[in-house]
């Protein structure tokens, strides 16, 4: 899955590799800084999960 393929309101599945939120389903949101999901620390921006090819790591 690529970041550009997601839009606000989409549901994604997180694996267990995130320290700020348990594995499971979350809803993608977007603000002026980019696409994110809400976590225990506030917002986790998805651009930090992109690999070299633009695919999201830990997210399906």
């Amino acid at each position: 899955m690529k970041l550009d393929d997601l839009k606000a309101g989409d549901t994604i599945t997180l694996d267990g590799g995130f320290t700020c939120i348990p594995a499971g389903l979350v809803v993608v949101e977007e603000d002026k800084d980019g696409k994110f999901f809400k976590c225990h620390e506030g917002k986790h921006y998805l651009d930090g999960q992109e690999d070299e090819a633009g695919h999201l790591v830990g997210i399906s």
Side-chain angles (χ1 to χ4, degrees):
M1 174 179 303
K2 290 191 173 192
L3 181 58
D4 289 341
D5 296 335
L6 293 175
K7 63 184 180 314
D10 286 347
T11 301
I12 55 176
T13 303
L14 306 178
D15 70 11
F18 293 87
T19 58
C20 63
I21 193 168
L25 297 175
V26 295
V27 176
V28 175
E29 299 187 36
E30 189 169 7
D31 64 14
K32 64 178 179 60
D33 295 321
K35 297 171 187 166
F36 66 92
F37 58 85
K38 291 182 182 172
C39 68
H40 301 303
E41 297 175 10
K43 297 176 183 176
H44 189 110
Y45 285 91
L46 294 170
D47 59 352
Q49 298 305 125
E50 286 183 292
D51 66 13
E52 303 81 35
H55 292 94
L56 294 172
V57 176
I59 297 172
S60 56

